[in-house]
Amino acid sequence: MKTEDLIRLLAEDTPVRRRLGRSLALALGAGIVASAVLLLATVGLRSNLDQVIGTVRVVFKISLTLALAATAFGLVARIGRPGASTRGFALGLAGLVLLVGLAVASELFVLPSQAWATELIGHHAAFCLQFIPTLSLVPFVALMAALRTGAPENPGRAGAAVGLASGAIGAALYAWHCPDDSPLFVATWYTLAIAFVTAAGYAIGRRFLRW
């Protein structure tokens, strides 16, 4: 049997698709709950969250990270099924990147240039780089294990998708604590933290997700 025929048969295997979807949903739920408990048990929610929750920058930060997590998880679900197209989710990710670019450009246009460095560095850049991957750990392990019930055609790319989704989940949770709301801060430090988890996912996925 040719490799292409095997992939097609696996893609048409309804029980496999159902098992993968169920495993990923359970992994997502468990990962979010565990990471949320970790957040609340350690640093907690932002002290003045009730005062800032309605501001444009906070709404943007939270909405962006949630949208990224949802889109990246959809990518994971598709990439675990041989032959499934991921084009729609890739376009969604590109749209989010464009949105971030527009937000950063708008902020740079509004703020005086003397304030750019302050907004970029923020208050807790180093902690952001550390804590987002920490919050990503349980979702990462759970989603990686769940994806083994599928049959990703490219293990490295599938692992990177898991890393992206896990990093985005960690960022979406951390956003409820983070006191730095500048799109410039988010675009820099959140992106670096998520990129680290994504790179780790690629390296681990190449070995762990082989079939």
Side-chain angles (χ1 to χ4, degrees), residues 156-199:
R157 187 161 44 185
V162 168
L164 177 62
S166 303
I169 291 170
L173 290 169
Y174 178 68
W176 293 88
H177 166 80
C178 179
D180 297 299
D181 303 322
S182 166
L184 185 58
F185 180 94
V186 173
T188 302
W189 305 109
Y190 279 47
T191 298
L192 286 174
I194 294 172
F196 171 78
V197 183
T198 302

Side-chain angles (χ1 to χ4, degrees), residues 20-193:
L20 175 61
R22 205 163 40 236
S23 297
L24 288 174
L26 289 173
L28 177 67
I32 290 175
V33 169
S35 295
V37 169
L38 176 61
L39 174 74
L40 295 174
T42 53
V43 297
L45 299 178
R46 185 172 174 171
S47 59
N48 64 339
L49 184 62
D50 58 331
Q51 301 171 22
V52 301
I53 190 62
T55 60
V56 173
R57 295 204 300 179
V58 172
V59 170
F60 175 78
K61 177 176 65 174
I62 292 175
S63 299
L64 174 70
T65 52
L66 288 174
L68 177 59
T71 304
F73 177 75
L75 178 63
V76 171
R78 295 292 290 178
I79 211 168
R81 296 178 176 127
S85 174
T86 59
R87 178 180 174 82
F89 292 101
L91 290 175
L93 292 173
L96 291 175
V97 171
L98 177 61
L99 184 61
V100 171
L102 291 174
V104 170
S106 298
E107 183 170 55
L108 294 179
F109 179 77
V110 171
L111 292 177
S113 58
Q114 304 93 300
W116 292 357
T118 301
E119 295 297 324
L120 171 64
I121 297 171
H123 298 90
H124 301 292
F127 184 70
C128 173
L129 288 176
Q130 175 187 3
F131 205 59
I132 286 178
T134 299
L135 291 175
S136 304
L137 183 58
V138 176
F140 182 91
V141 172
L143 289 174
M144 192 70 76
L147 200 56
R148 280 180 65 87
T149 64
E153 296 179 58
N154 188 313
R157 187 161 44 185
V162 168
L164 177 62
S166 303
I169 291 170
L173 290 169
Y174 178 68
W176 293 88
H177 166 80
C178 179
D180 297 299
D181 303 322
S182 166
L184 185 58
F185 180 94
V186 173
T188 302
W189 305 109
Y190 279 47
T191 298
L192 286 174

